PDB file of all heavy atoms in Angstrom:
ATOM      1  N   MET W   1      53.304 -71.242  81.257  1.00 46.00           N
ATOM      2  CA  MET W   1      53.607 -71.813  82.523  1.00 46.00           C
ATOM      3  C   MET W   1      53.795 -73.315  82.360  1.00 46.00           C
ATOM      4  O   MET W   1      53.036 -73.958  81.661  1.00 46.00           O
ATOM      5  CB  MET W   1      52.425 -71.532  83.429  1.00 46.00           C
ATOM      6  CG  MET W   1      52.811 -71.558  84.849  1.00 46.00           C
ATOM      7  SD  MET W   1      51.521 -70.869  85.836  1.00 46.00           S
ATOM      8  CE  MET W   1      52.537 -70.180  86.976  1.00 46.00           C
ATOM      9  N   THR W   2      54.777 -73.824  82.977  1.00 63.00           N
ATOM     10  CA  THR W   2      55.059 -75.247  82.837  1.00 63.00           C
ATOM     11  C   THR W   2      54.390 -76.002  83.947  1.00 63.00           C
ATOM     12  O   THR W   2      54.264 -75.536  85.070  1.00 63.00           O
ATOM     13  CB  THR W   2      56.574 -75.519  82.881  1.00 63.00           C
ATOM     14  OG1 THR W   2      57.075 -75.074  84.091  1.00 63.00           O
ATOM     15  CG2 THR W   2      57.272 -74.840  81.733  1.00 63.00           C
ATOM     16  N   GLY W   3      53.948 -77.186  83.682  1.00 75.00           N
ATOM     17  CA  GLY W   3      53.295 -78.024  84.674  1.00 75.00           C
ATOM     18  C   GLY W   3      54.328 -78.742  85.527  1.00 75.00           C
ATOM     19  O   GLY W   3      55.487 -78.918  85.135  1.00 75.00           O
ATOM     20  N   LEU W   4      53.940 -79.114  86.676  1.00 79.00           N
ATOM     21  CA  LEU W   4      54.824 -79.843  87.581  1.00 79.00           C
ATOM     22  C   LEU W   4      54.793 -81.314  87.216  1.00 79.00           C
ATOM     23  O   LEU W   4      53.779 -81.844  86.785  1.00 79.00           O
ATOM     24  CB  LEU W   4      54.374 -79.641  89.027  1.00 79.00           C
ATOM     25  CG  LEU W   4      54.390 -78.203  89.554  1.00 79.00           C
ATOM     26  CD1 LEU W   4      53.750 -78.158  90.919  1.00 79.00           C
ATOM     27  CD2 LEU W   4      55.801 -77.657  89.625  1.00 79.00           C
ATOM     28  N   SER W   5      55.905 -81.923  87.421  1.00 87.00           N
ATOM     29  CA  SER W   5      55.964 -83.347  87.126  1.00 87.00           C
ATOM     30  C   SER W   5      55.077 -84.086  88.105  1.00 87.00           C
ATOM     31  O   SER W   5      54.854 -83.628  89.241  1.00 87.00           O
ATOM     32  CB  SER W   5      57.407 -83.849  87.216  1.00 87.00           C
ATOM     33  OG  SER W   5      57.837 -83.817  88.544  1.00 87.00           O
ATOM     34  N   PRO W   6      54.525 -85.236  87.694  1.00 85.00           N
ATOM     35  CA  PRO W   6      53.638 -85.968  88.584  1.00 85.00           C
ATOM     36  C   PRO W   6      54.327 -86.392  89.885  1.00 85.00           C
ATOM     37  O   PRO W   6      53.726 -86.361  90.963  1.00 85.00           O
ATOM     38  CB  PRO W   6      53.225 -87.179  87.781  1.00 85.00           C
ATOM     39  CG  PRO W   6      53.523 -86.868  86.367  1.00 85.00           C
ATOM     40  CD  PRO W   6      54.564 -85.823  86.350  1.00 85.00           C
ATOM     41  N   ALA W   7      55.585 -86.719  89.872  1.00 86.00           N
ATOM     42  CA  ALA W   7      56.290 -87.151  91.081  1.00 86.00           C
ATOM     43  C   ALA W   7      56.436 -85.967  92.047  1.00 86.00           C
ATOM     44  O   ALA W   7      56.226 -86.078  93.258  1.00 86.00           O
ATOM     45  CB  ALA W   7      57.657 -87.724  90.728  1.00 86.00           C
ATOM     46  N   PHE W   8      56.788 -84.794  91.459  1.00 86.00           N
ATOM     47  CA  PHE W   8      56.955 -83.624  92.311  1.00 86.00           C
ATOM     48  C   PHE W   8      55.607 -83.186  92.883  1.00 86.00           C
ATOM     49  O   PHE W   8      55.523 -82.746  94.018  1.00 86.00           O
ATOM     50  CB  PHE W   8      57.603 -82.488  91.497  1.00 86.00           C
ATOM     51  CG  PHE W   8      57.902 -81.273  92.332  1.00 86.00           C
ATOM     52  CD1 PHE W   8      58.920 -81.282  93.273  1.00 86.00           C
ATOM     53  CD2 PHE W   8      57.141 -80.123  92.198  1.00 86.00           C
ATOM     54  CE1 PHE W   8      59.179 -80.167  94.041  1.00 86.00           C
ATOM     55  CE2 PHE W   8      57.387 -79.011  92.971  1.00 86.00           C
ATOM     56  CZ  PHE W   8      58.421 -79.027  93.890  1.00 86.00           C
ATOM     57  N   SER W   9      54.546 -83.312  92.098  1.00 85.00           N
ATOM     58  CA  SER W   9      53.200 -82.957  92.564  1.00 85.00           C
ATOM     59  C   SER W   9      52.799 -83.841  93.747  1.00 85.00           C
ATOM     60  O   SER W   9      52.192 -83.369  94.713  1.00 85.00           O
ATOM     61  CB  SER W   9      52.178 -83.126  91.440  1.00 85.00           C
ATOM     62  OG  SER W   9      52.426 -82.213  90.421  1.00 85.00           O
ATOM     63  N   ARG W  10      53.135 -85.120  93.649  1.00 87.00           N
ATOM     64  CA  ARG W  10      52.813 -86.023  94.748  1.00 87.00           C
ATOM     65  C   ARG W  10      53.583 -85.658  96.019  1.00 87.00           C
ATOM     66  O   ARG W  10      53.030 -85.649  97.116  1.00 87.00           O
ATOM     67  CB  ARG W  10      53.131 -87.463  94.358  1.00 87.00           C
ATOM     68  CG  ARG W  10      52.151 -88.036  93.410  1.00 87.00           C
ATOM     69  CD  ARG W  10      52.464 -89.502  93.143  1.00 87.00           C
ATOM     70  NE  ARG W  10      51.691 -89.931  92.016  1.00 87.00           N
ATOM     71  CZ  ARG W  10      52.168 -90.571  90.973  1.00 87.00           C
ATOM     72  NH1 ARG W  10      53.448 -90.889  90.919  1.00 87.00           N
ATOM     73  NH2 ARG W  10      51.390 -90.918  89.990  1.00 87.00           N
ATOM     74  N   VAL W  11      54.867 -85.349  95.852  1.00 87.00           N
ATOM     75  CA  VAL W  11      55.696 -84.975  97.005  1.00 87.00           C
ATOM     76  C   VAL W  11      55.157 -83.687  97.618  1.00 87.00           C
ATOM     77  O   VAL W  11      55.036 -83.557  98.836  1.00 87.00           O
ATOM     78  CB  VAL W  11      57.172 -84.827  96.584  1.00 87.00           C
ATOM     79  CG1 VAL W  11      58.001 -84.182  97.683  1.00 87.00           C
ATOM     80  CG2 VAL W  11      57.758 -86.171  96.220  1.00 87.00           C
ATOM     81  N   LEU W  12      54.815 -82.725  96.750  1.00 87.00           N
ATOM     82  CA  LEU W  12      54.267 -81.465  97.229  1.00 87.00           C
ATOM     83  C   LEU W  12      52.935 -81.686  97.940  1.00 87.00           C
ATOM     84  O   LEU W  12      52.672 -81.104  99.000  1.00 87.00           O
ATOM     85  CB  LEU W  12      54.108 -80.479  96.068  1.00 87.00           C
ATOM     86  CG  LEU W  12      53.716 -79.055  96.436  1.00 87.00           C
ATOM     87  CD1 LEU W  12      54.728 -78.423  97.384  1.00 87.00           C
ATOM     88  CD2 LEU W  12      53.561 -78.221  95.191  1.00 87.00           C
ATOM     89  N   ALA W  13      52.091 -82.542  97.406  1.00 86.00           N
ATOM     90  CA  ALA W  13      50.798 -82.835  98.031  1.00 86.00           C
ATOM     91  C   ALA W  13      51.001 -83.512  99.377  1.00 86.00           C
ATOM     92  O   ALA W  13      50.317 -83.201 100.370  1.00 86.00           O
ATOM     93  CB  ALA W  13      49.946 -83.706  97.111  1.00 86.00           C
ATOM     94  N   LEU W  14      51.962 -84.450  99.444  1.00 88.00           N
ATOM     95  CA  LEU W  14      52.246 -85.111 100.713  1.00 88.00           C
ATOM     96  C   LEU W  14      52.818 -84.114 101.728  1.00 88.00           C
ATOM     97  O   LEU W  14      52.490 -84.159 102.923  1.00 88.00           O
ATOM     98  CB  LEU W  14      53.215 -86.273 100.516  1.00 88.00           C
ATOM     99  CG  LEU W  14      52.630 -87.513  99.836  1.00 88.00           C
ATOM    100  CD1 LEU W  14      53.727 -88.539  99.566  1.00 88.00           C
ATOM    101  CD2 LEU W  14      51.547 -88.118 100.704  1.00 88.00           C
ATOM    102  N   ALA W  15      53.659 -83.194 101.281  1.00 89.00           N
ATOM    103  CA  ALA W  15      54.223 -82.177 102.170  1.00 89.00           C
ATOM    104  C   ALA W  15      53.120 -81.273 102.711  1.00 89.00           C
ATOM    105  O   ALA W  15      53.096 -80.931 103.903  1.00 89.00           O
ATOM    106  CB  ALA W  15      55.289 -81.363 101.448  1.00 89.00           C
ATOM    107  N   LEU W  16      52.206 -80.855 101.834  1.00 88.00           N
ATOM    108  CA  LEU W  16      51.083 -80.023 102.264  1.00 88.00           C
ATOM    109  C   LEU W  16      50.192 -80.780 103.240  1.00 88.00           C
ATOM    110  O   LEU W  16      49.714 -80.219 104.230  1.00 88.00           O
ATOM    111  CB  LEU W  16      50.278 -79.530 101.067  1.00 88.00           C
ATOM    112  CG  LEU W  16      50.936 -78.418 100.244  1.00 88.00           C
ATOM    113  CD1 LEU W  16      50.108 -78.124  98.998  1.00 88.00           C
ATOM    114  CD2 LEU W  16      51.119 -77.167 101.065  1.00 88.00           C
ATOM    115  N   LEU W  17      49.959 -82.058 102.945  1.00 87.00           N
ATOM    116  CA  LEU W  17      49.160 -82.879 103.845  1.00 87.00           C
ATOM    117  C   LEU W  17      49.850 -83.010 105.209  1.00 87.00           C
ATOM    118  O   LEU W  17      49.216 -82.910 106.258  1.00 87.00           O
ATOM    119  CB  LEU W  17      48.919 -84.266 103.231  1.00 87.00           C
ATOM    120  CG  LEU W  17      48.024 -85.200 104.030  1.00 87.00           C
ATOM    121  CD1 LEU W  17      46.628 -84.608 104.169  1.00 87.00           C
ATOM    122  CD2 LEU W  17      47.966 -86.563 103.361  1.00 87.00           C
ATOM    123  N   GLY W  18      51.167 -83.197 105.200  1.00 88.00           N
ATOM    124  CA  GLY W  18      51.930 -83.277 106.451  1.00 88.00           C
ATOM    125  C   GLY W  18      51.873 -81.958 107.217  1.00 88.00           C
ATOM    126  O   GLY W  18      51.744 -81.932 108.445  1.00 88.00           O
ATOM    127  N   LEU W  19      51.961 -80.829 106.481  1.00 89.00           N
ATOM    128  CA  LEU W  19      51.887 -79.519 107.104  1.00 89.00           C
ATOM    129  C   LEU W  19      50.520 -79.299 107.754  1.00 89.00           C
ATOM    130  O   LEU W  19      50.421 -78.796 108.883  1.00 89.00           O
ATOM    131  CB  LEU W  19      52.169 -78.418 106.076  1.00 89.00           C
ATOM    132  CG  LEU W  19      52.177 -76.988 106.601  1.00 89.00           C
ATOM    133  CD1 LEU W  19      53.264 -76.795 107.641  1.00 89.00           C
ATOM    134  CD2 LEU W  19      52.361 -76.014 105.458  1.00 89.00           C
ATOM    135  N   VAL W  20      49.449 -79.695 107.059  1.00 87.00           N
ATOM    136  CA  VAL W  20      48.101 -79.590 107.614  1.00 87.00           C
ATOM    137  C   VAL W  20      47.989 -80.475 108.858  1.00 87.00           C
ATOM    138  O   VAL W  20      47.419 -80.074 109.878  1.00 87.00           O
ATOM    139  CB  VAL W  20      47.040 -79.960 106.558  1.00 87.00           C
ATOM    140  CG1 VAL W  20      45.668 -80.142 107.173  1.00 87.00           C
ATOM    141  CG2 VAL W  20      46.990 -78.905 105.465  1.00 87.00           C
ATOM    142  N   GLY W  21      48.565 -81.680 108.808  1.00 84.00           N
ATOM    143  CA  GLY W  21      48.557 -82.577 109.961  1.00 84.00           C
ATOM    144  C   GLY W  21      49.292 -81.965 111.148  1.00 84.00           C
ATOM    145  O   GLY W  21      48.824 -82.039 112.293  1.00 84.00           O
ATOM    146  N   LEU W  22      50.450 -81.327 110.911  1.00 86.00           N
ATOM    147  CA  LEU W  22      51.192 -80.664 111.975  1.00 86.00           C
ATOM    148  C   LEU W  22      50.401 -79.506 112.568  1.00 86.00           C
ATOM    149  O   LEU W  22      50.385 -79.309 113.789  1.00 86.00           O
ATOM    150  CB  LEU W  22      52.526 -80.126 111.437  1.00 86.00           C
ATOM    151  CG  LEU W  22      53.705 -81.075 111.532  1.00 86.00           C
ATOM    152  CD1 LEU W  22      54.890 -80.547 110.750  1.00 86.00           C
ATOM    153  CD2 LEU W  22      54.106 -81.274 112.974  1.00 86.00           C
ATOM    154  N   LEU W  23      49.739 -78.739 111.706  1.00 87.00           N
ATOM    155  CA  LEU W  23      48.937 -77.621 112.194  1.00 87.00           C
ATOM    156  C   LEU W  23      47.772 -78.122 113.038  1.00 87.00           C
ATOM    157  O   LEU W  23      47.460 -77.539 114.086  1.00 87.00           O
ATOM    158  CB  LEU W  23      48.423 -76.782 111.016  1.00 87.00           C
ATOM    159  CG  LEU W  23      49.476 -75.920 110.317  1.00 87.00           C
ATOM    160  CD1 LEU W  23      48.866 -75.241 109.084  1.00 87.00           C
ATOM    161  CD2 LEU W  23      50.052 -74.886 111.254  1.00 87.00           C
ATOM    162  N   VAL W  24      47.110 -79.195 112.609  1.00 83.00           N
ATOM    163  CA  VAL W  24      46.010 -79.759 113.387  1.00 83.00           C
ATOM    164  C   VAL W  24      46.540 -80.270 114.733  1.00 83.00           C
ATOM    165  O   VAL W  24      45.937 -80.033 115.784  1.00 83.00           O
ATOM    166  CB  VAL W  24      45.291 -80.885 112.600  1.00 83.00           C
ATOM    167  CG1 VAL W  24      44.364 -81.689 113.491  1.00 83.00           C
ATOM    168  CG2 VAL W  24      44.548 -80.303 111.427  1.00 83.00           C
ATOM    169  N   TYR W  25      47.698 -80.930 114.695  1.00 84.00           N
ATOM    170  CA  TYR W  25      48.297 -81.432 115.941  1.00 84.00           C
ATOM    171  C   TYR W  25      48.643 -80.269 116.881  1.00 84.00           C
ATOM    172  O   TYR W  25      48.324 -80.294 118.063  1.00 84.00           O
ATOM    173  CB  TYR W  25      49.552 -82.260 115.635  1.00 84.00           C
ATOM    174  CG  TYR W  25      50.240 -82.767 116.880  1.00 84.00           C
ATOM    175  CD1 TYR W  25      49.766 -83.884 117.549  1.00 84.00           C
ATOM    176  CD2 TYR W  25      51.355 -82.106 117.406  1.00 84.00           C
ATOM    177  CE1 TYR W  25      50.384 -84.346 118.698  1.00 84.00           C
ATOM    178  CE2 TYR W  25      51.970 -82.554 118.563  1.00 84.00           C
ATOM    179  CZ  TYR W  25      51.481 -83.671 119.209  1.00 84.00           C
ATOM    180  OH  TYR W  25      52.094 -84.121 120.363  1.00 84.00           O
ATOM    181  N   ALA W  26      49.293 -79.218 116.332  1.00 83.00           N
ATOM    182  CA  ALA W  26      49.718 -78.079 117.149  1.00 83.00           C
ATOM    183  C   ALA W  26      48.530 -77.291 117.679  1.00 83.00           C
ATOM    184  O   ALA W  26      48.568 -76.773 118.790  1.00 83.00           O
ATOM    185  CB  ALA W  26      50.642 -77.172 116.346  1.00 83.00           C
ATOM    186  N   ALA W  27      47.480 -77.196 116.877  1.00 84.00           N
ATOM    187  CA  ALA W  27      46.341 -76.368 117.275  1.00 84.00           C
ATOM    188  C   ALA W  27      45.344 -77.118 118.157  1.00 84.00           C
ATOM    189  O   ALA W  27      44.708 -76.505 119.011  1.00 84.00           O
ATOM    190  CB  ALA W  27      45.630 -75.835 116.035  1.00 84.00           C
TER     191      ALA W  27
END
């Protein structure tokens, strides 16, 4: 399995954080 690049990991982490923020806002 190949690891994710650090830049992509950061973008993915920020996207997940944004998704959690949207869910908290919506809920």
Side-chain angles (χ1 to χ4, degrees):
M1 204 167 214
T2 60
L4 299 173
S5 69
F8 184 71
S9 294
R10 286 184 193 130
V11 169
L12 188 58
L14 287 174
L16 286 174
L17 184 62
L19 182 62
V20 168
L22 269 170
L23 287 175
V24 167
Y25 178 80

